[in-house]
Amino acid sequence: MHFLDTLQLLRVNRSFASVLSCIVALIVILRRRKKQQLITDYSQVAREVDSQGREFDEYDYIVVGGGTAGCVLACRLTEDPRIRVLLIEAGSSGKALVESRIPSAYKGLVRTTHDYKLSTLPQPHAGNQKIYWPRARLLGGCSSMNAMMAHYGAPSDFDEFAEIVGDNSWCWEHFKQYFLKFEKYFPSPQFPNVDVSQRGSSGPMSIGFPAYTWTGSEMFINACVNTGMSFNPDFNTSNGTLGVNKVSPFYSLLRVTRQTTYSSTRMTYTDRHGVRVSTEAAYLTPTVLARPNLKVVTEARVTKILFSTSTRNRNPRAIGVEFSSFAQKGAGKRFRARARKEVIVCCGAVHTPQLLMLSGIGPGTHLTEHNIPVVVDHPGVGSNLYDHVTFHMRLAEKMGISLGYLQASNLHTKFKLWRDLLEYQLRGTGPLSSNFVAGAAFCRSDDPVLFPEYDHEKVQDSTSGPGSPDLELVVTSVLVHADRSLGIRNGYMLLPVLLRPTSVGTVRLKSADPWEHPLIDPNYLSTQHDVDVLVRGVRLVYKIAHTPPLSDLTDFANDDPNLDHHLGRLSDDELQQIVRSRVETIYHPVGTCAMGREDVAGTVLDSQMRVRGVSGLRVCDASILPKLVSGHTAGVVIAAAEKLADIIKAECK
């Protein structure tokens, strides 16, 4: 062969070899990336327990529960490449679930495999009802299936926390930095009076105004104004109740002092495309999941925290966890992983106390009843359960603007549904970008302007301060029947929410089987205070429905016995009976592993979220809150996780 021909052949071969090398390299990279994604083969992160239970894989921190807080901690802790984290979640990813991404579709996750399908014990003070408690089994937890309300409560709520836990870092002036840290606020030209200097701008959680305005929103807000309420441009700032603003065309809230009630714009956790932003979507991005120091296990249930009781320290030490496949519910292999530094439990106000009790941390007599060896006798574990309750006032409307047609039942409603689907698909706007909450108001039940007919001396003040509300009033653009179906006729709802209940309940084990649901007893309406305040809320929303301009929407002539147009004619005693028989939850349980000072009986955690009496164990979720905030809990949990991540990273320096 001629030299030139040979050289040309070598060049071709080299080119081919170069291309082949690139392809091989790309395959290797893709395979490596694939290994960094969500894990269901547990042998990648842990070792199967041998006959004597001695094999472990080791991490610095094991985060149990990839919910609202767990995703935050997994992301923030692994920002330090020296910290190795294992995150274990019982559910799967919600990123591909339409019901979790489209704001209006979240109710479609309830009673599915992505929901734990919990119910309370029969409630003797609430019509002996068993009340359904949806709890998400998904990465992102309830931030993947809630109503996305970006509302944090009153500043005095956090000042109260600081006093209860004996640590000023929890007061509003210090704790607010963590709200700003997670926020990525998108200003809207329709709300020019929002002070962007008091909102976070570079955090992972998108905060903004909904892309859809229901026609009844402004009618509700103006009716609230006509009952004696005023405006505020932004509820979630240090300005509190100060400031007045015009009515906004998007969601609005109201905030109160003893003398005056204020409203401000309602914000949600959605992005500019009208898509839900859960903590999974915000914190467990592809870049984060590709970190070599983070492993994320899904579809695995942690059934036990492992302790060493032979340490030199006087306290038992958490050294790891045992888990197995959720689908096999205990029938499959068991796996163990070791935590060199700490186990952090983030399973929520129901499953966190359950896991602690199953592991031997809880009320000693209760654990002994179930033959569980007591590691630490902690009477407060599973106690101090608070929750927000509400009453659904169902009303007919005569303008034909309700969104009940989204549950299509005929050709006309199907056409409207397909029209809205197209708008959402093309623009990310329209009714499907709504969470159905068209507006909200916050007020005090002792406000003499709103409740002139009551003797306010007879109602206990359960709030955290004079600027903190004890009632939330919500208007929805749909009518939801008792069976949870949407009303196909024209209707809407007004919901008074009891923000600062005094009824306290418990979470207890039903058995020592980790796959059996615990016993949930919120003890709803067990105090007269709670019934009295909720009845006042019912009176107020009825009054608002009959106040212009919302009175132009309400169909007073409708006498459907399944609706509530007759409630205004009932006495307080009659209303109390109806409220007790129809009370509902808005799914904000807290307090079952509460923080508090060491000298206060029943407190489980110190102000650093460490479990007292144990080394190497912390809790971070809604169970840590000693009291309910006078608002929505998701943002508070995210902020608490941001705070804990900073605490831990500072300790690792």
Side-chain angles (χ1 to χ4, degrees):
M1 182 179 292
H2 193 275
F3 173 78
L4 294 178
D5 293 334
T6 303
L7 182 61
Q8 183 66 30
L9 182 59
L10 287 172
R11 286 174 178 171
V12 170
N13 287 341
R14 284 177 180 175
S15 299
F16 176 76
S18 177
V19 171
L20 184 60
S21 298
C22 290
I23 292 173
V24 171
L26 181 61
I27 291 172
V28 170
I29 291 171
L30 290 175
R31 284 179 176 175
R32 285 179 178 175
R33 285 186 176 179
K34 186 175 181 181
K35 289 179 181 178
Q36 296 298 331
Q37 301 306 308
L38 308 182
I39 297 168
T40 54
D41 178 4
Y42 313 140
S43 64
Q44 293 183 30
V45 299
R47 297 176 188 170
E48 184 180 348
V49 179
D50 66 9
S51 59
Q52 297 182 13
R54 293 181 298 191
E55 290 296 328
F56 294 86
D57 264 15
E58 193 169 80
Y59 300 84
D60 293 308
Y61 295 90
I62 297 177
V63 180
V64 182
T68 302
C71 290
V72 179
L73 287 166
C75 170
R76 293 303 195 190
L77 291 179
T78 54
E79 289 174 342
D80 184 340
R82 301 171 302 167
I83 298 176
R84 192 166 183 239
V85 174
L86 173 63
L87 173 64
I88 305 175
E89 165 56 33
S92 59
S93 172
K95 291 180 181 178
L97 296 174
V98 172
E99 297 89 345
S100 183
R101 307 305 287 152
I102 299 177
S104 60
Y106 65 98
K107 290 292 186 182
L109 294 170
V110 176
R111 299 179 191 270
T112 69
T113 57
H114 304 295
D115 176 12
Y116 278 102
K117 305 175 188 175
L118 305 176
S119 293
T120 70
L121 293 174
Q123 295 298 287
H125 307 288
N128 215 36
Q129 302 177 78
K130 289 184 177 181
I131 297 176
Y132 192 76
W133 271 29
R135 296 281 91 190
R137 190 171 70 86
L138 285 167
L139 282 170
C142 290
S143 76
S144 294
M145 67 179 287
N146 64 7
M148 299 160 285
M149 297 299 190
H151 173 248
Y152 312 141
S156 59
D157 294 341
F158 302 94
D159 296 339
E160 181 183 49
F161 289 171
E163 182 179 353
I164 291 172
V165 304
D167 184 344
N168 205 41
S169 69
W170 286 92
C171 76
W172 172 256
E173 282 304 311
H174 294 141
F175 188 66
K176 68 179 180 181
Q177 64 178 301
Y178 295 108
F179 294 117
L180 301 181
K181 185 175 182 179
F182 77 67
E183 285 184 347
K184 186 175 184 178
Y185 171 67
F186 290 104
S188 170
Q190 295 174 291
F191 302 95
N193 293 327
V194 173
D195 184 356
V196 296
S197 69
Q198 297 199 52
R199 304 314 304 252
S201 60
S202 58
M205 294 290 293
S206 296
I207 306 291
F209 300 101
Y212 171 75
T213 306
W214 184 54
T215 304
S217 298
E218 285 193 51
M219 303 173 77
F220 169 77
I221 297 301
N222 284 322
C224 288
V225 170
N226 290 335
T227 62
M229 302 180 187
S230 305
F231 295 99
N232 184 309
D234 190 351
F235 187 64
N236 289 324
T237 73
S238 299
N239 292 333
T241 59
L242 300 177
V244 177
N245 192 16
K246 64 180 180 180
V247 66
S248 63
F250 286 101
Y251 297 159
S252 301
L253 329 145
L254 302 160
R255 175 137 190 212
V256 206
T257 64
R258 290 183 185 275
Q259 294 79 27
T260 311
T261 305
Y262 291 91
S263 76
S264 69
T265 50
R266 165 67 80 182
M267 299 177 191
T268 60
Y269 300 108
T270 53
D271 64 19
R272 286 181 166 179
H273 305 289
V275 177
R276 171 195 292 273
V277 179
S278 66
T279 57
E280 181 200 8
Y283 287 90
L284 295 187
T285 64
T287 301
V288 172
L289 289 172
R291 290 173 182 167
N293 57 330
L294 173 63
K295 301 293 183 183
V296 180
V297 168
T298 57
E299 301 286 355
R301 179 77 173 267
V302 173
T303 56
K304 184 190 298 183
I305 302 167
L306 305 173
F307 296 95
S308 171
T309 56
S310 60
T311 61
R312 295 179 181 178
N313 299 326
R314 60 185 178 87
N315 293 332
R317 180 173 186 82
I319 59 170
V321 298
E322 185 170 292
F323 62 96
S324 57
S325 167
F326 190 93
Q328 296 180 0
K329 297 190 183 302
K333 298 176 180 179
R334 294 179 298 138
F335 295 83
R336 287 181 179 178
R338 176 184 286 271
R340 290 182 60 249
K341 295 184 177 180
E342 289 182 325
V343 174
I344 308 171
V345 183
C346 306
C347 300
V350 174
H351 292 113
T352 285
Q354 180 191 26
L355 178 59
L356 292 185
M357 287 186 284
L358 289 169
S359 305
I361 299 179
T365 54
H366 178 61
L367 301 185
T368 302
E369 289 172 1
H370 295 290
N371 298 315
I372 297 173
V374 177
V375 176
V376 177
D377 184 358
H378 246 313
V381 173
S383 300
N384 196 56
L385 174 62
Y386 288 96
D387 189 23
H388 286 147
V389 293
T390 187
F391 176 87
H392 293 180
M393 180 180 286
R394 302 179 175 95
L395 302 169
E397 58 96 352
K398 55 190 176 185
M399 297 175 64
I401 61 172
S402 66
L403 302 183
Y405 66 83
L406 294 178
Q407 186 168 299
S409 59
N410 55 46
L411 186 61
H412 177 63
T413 55
K414 288 179 180 178
F415 171 79
K416 294 173 74 174
L417 174 58
W418 280 104
R419 175 201 64 191
D420 292 348
L421 282 168
L422 183 62
E423 180 180 359
Y424 183 79
Q425 184 68 28
L426 295 176
R427 301 173 58 191
T429 60
L432 293 184
S433 67
S434 161
N435 61 356
F436 300 130
V437 177
F442 289 81
C443 65
R444 293 183 65 93
S445 62
D446 61 2
D447 187 331
V449 174
L450 300 178
F451 303 98
E453 69 274 29
Y454 286 105
D455 179 0
H456 303 297
E457 298 295 326
K458 293 184 178 180
V459 177
Q460 173 190 351
D461 183 0
S462 63
T463 67
S464 60
S468 174
D470 59 356
L471 280 172
E472 179 180 11
L473 315 176
V474 176
V475 61
T476 70
S477 54
V478 293
L479 190 155
V480 181
H481 293 301
D483 63 1
R484 294 292 183 266
S485 64
L486 296 185
I488 59 175
R489 290 178 294 175
N490 296 328
Y492 73 103
M493 295 195 305
L494 292 169
L495 286 67
V497 180
L498 178 65
L499 293 176
R500 298 283 292 189
T502 55
S503 299
V504 186
T506 60
V507 173
R508 291 288 182 259
L509 296 177
K510 186 174 183 180
S511 73
D513 182 357
W515 304 95
E516 190 165 21
H517 292 326
L519 302 175
I520 304 170
D521 182 11
N523 207 18
Y524 288 142
L525 304 182
S526 59
T527 66
Q528 191 60 39
H529 164 275
D530 291 359
V531 180
D532 289 342
V533 173
L534 199 50
V535 166
R536 290 191 185 194
V538 172
R539 292 282 190 209
L540 182 55
V541 294
Y542 188 86
K543 179 180 179 180
I544 292 169
H546 291 75
T547 300
L550 196 59
S551 56
D552 296 334
L553 176 67
T554 308
D555 184 3
F556 305 116
N558 193 299
D559 58 358
D560 187 331
N562 295 314
L563 301 180
D564 295 318
H565 294 275
H566 66 290
L567 294 187
R569 300 190 294 269
L570 303 181
S571 67
D572 277 4
D573 288 342
E574 291 171 320
L575 265 184
Q576 284 188 26
Q577 296 307 310
I578 292 177
V579 164
R580 287 187 185 279
S581 66
R582 287 172 47 185
V583 69
E584 295 281 352
T585 172
I586 61 168
Y587 323 121
H588 291 165
V590 305
T592 48
C593 292
M595 295 184 295
R597 293 189 301 272
E598 189 171 10
D599 58 350
V600 177
T603 60
V604 179
L605 311 176
D606 66 14
S607 65
Q608 308 290 295
M609 292 169 262
R610 294 175 294 215
V611 178
R612 284 202 167 93
V614 186
S615 299
L617 182 61
R618 301 200 207 223
V619 172
C620 187
D621 51 38
S623 71
I624 74 170
L625 303 181
K627 291 283 188 73
L628 267 168
V629 291
S630 53
H632 297 254
T633 53
V636 182
V637 172
I638 298 170
E642 290 277 13
K643 177 179 173 66
L644 180 55
D646 277 0
I647 291 171
I648 291 174
K649 286 193 286 188
E651 293 174 352
C652 290
K653 288 184 179 178

